[in-house]
Amino acid sequence: MILVTGGAGFIGANFVLDWLQTHDEPLINLDKMTYAGNHDNLVTLTGDERHTLVVGDIGDSVLVSDLLHRYRPRAIINFAAESHVDRSIHGPGDFIDTNVVGTFRLLEATRQYWTSLSPGERSSFRFLHVSTDEVYGSLNADDPAFTETTPYTPNSPYSASKAASDHLVRAWHHTYALPVLTTNCSNNYGPYQFPEKLIPLMLHHALTDKPLPIYGDGQNIRDWLYVGDHASGIRRVLEAGRVGETYNIGGNNERSNLQVVHALCDLLDRLQPHPEGSYRRLIRFVTDRPGHDRRYAIDATKIRTELGWTPQHHFESGLEQTLRWYLSHSDWIARVTSGAYRQWLETHYTEENTPCARD
Ligand code: NAD
Ligand code: TYD
């Protein structure tokens, strides 16, 4: 079996759902269920014995050690993180706690468990750390895309904390020979994304007649990857990646934020036209994010040539698929935006049954 951390969040949940669609191998899903952890994302797995959700913190060394020795996973995939740049600007402490200290504690518990394995189990074991392209900093318009050897230049508390975690993972390999893999991925979009991130936030605002807030001049550029492609890239790296290596995962879809929001409005105009006219009428330019990185771009040559992985979704078709998913899951959006999704935690998780396992 494998252990996934942060598997009730956006990318982790998509990975867990994809994994159980393509494998029979069971998985343990360790998630702290912060505001970003949503049991609704996993509701289709109710009754599926291959999935065990454990509510807990990657920084809880006793819990993690217990899980590792009890379930004896052959691999760990670490999605757990505080992931939103704007939140990191307003409150960086949680980012240091989870992304830096939490990753350190997870690595230490993993090292202790890994040392106890037989030589064969030790050599096939993998610790795959999921990271971001934001660790490489900001590009100018004409700069070449990030490669795996681009120096780290993080600019936000979020990207600095992820950079720190990547360095720890690297060091645990070089110093202790822990068999690690790191992936650095561009901006994801798709089902189950918390509506604080650009695409689901704009969609939710458009559907509720709220302004669509574009930071600065809207010309900041991101590379966009459909979340299902990210999941398949991670599976491929886990399967065939060279130990100790880093793999960039990108969608080859650079778009300015304004282009993204225009595309979203135009699709909504077609799928759910508004009587007062185009959704573009809601666009507003607002004060820029402090330290806002201008451009991210991924050179994904290494994963393509070494591991044969390429993304399957082009941005426009992936965005349409994503919008159709949200439009047909208005209950999911309503429960997230009203806070009702937290009820699962309140009902199922109390101090008395900490930590608890649920399916
Ligand atoms: P998310 O915020 O949607 O989900 C994070 C999950 O981790 C939540 O379920 C949360 O409850 C859990 N979590 C937080 N702290 C924890 C802790 N201490 N212990 C256990 N669980 C904890 O994030 P996401 O967008 O799904 O991102 C997942 C990973 O992918 C992160 O490491 C992020 O840095 C990375 N990443 C994200 C993107 C993106 O576009 N969203 C792009 C590249 C890389
Ligand atoms: P976001 O989804 O927060 O991802 P990240 O900052 O990790 O790239 O933001 C994507 C881009 O969209 C980023 O350049 C900031 C911009 N943005 C807005 O213009 N308005 C918004 O309301 C949000 C949330 C983001």
Side-chain angles (χ1 to χ4, degrees), residues 6 8-12 31-34 36-37 56-58 79-81 83 98 130-132 158 162 185-188 197:
F10 162 51
I11 303 174
D31 198 296
K32 190 177 173 185
M33 304 304 276
T34 67
D57 192 325
I58 57 166
F79 292 96
S83 69
T98 284
V130 179
S131 192
T132 167
Y158 164 65
K162 290 296 289 187
C185 185
S186 54
N187 284 56
N188 283 215
K197 305 279 168 64

Side-chain angles (χ1 to χ4, degrees), residues 83-86 132 134 158 187 193 196-202 212-216 218 220-222 224 257 261 286 289 292-294 296:
S83 69
H84 187 40
V85 174
D86 292 325
T132 167
E134 305 195 22
Y158 164 65
N187 284 56
Q193 188 166 28
E196 63 188 353
K197 305 279 168 64
L198 180 71
I199 289 176
L201 180 139
M202 294 295 171
L212 309 182
I214 306 234
Y215 299 161
N220 301 67
I221 290 172
R222 300 290 182 263
W224 292 94
N257 294 336
V261 176
V286 300
R289 170 190 281 172
H292 196 175
D293 285 338
R294 195 65 178 165
Y296 303 142

Side-chain angles (χ1 to χ4, degrees), residues 224-246:
W224 292 94
L225 179 73
Y226 186 71
V227 66
D229 282 331
H230 191 186
S232 77
I234 289 171
R235 287 202 304 270
R236 186 67 192 133
V237 172
L238 180 66
E239 187 176 61
R242 282 183 295 132
V243 165
E245 291 290 318
T246 289

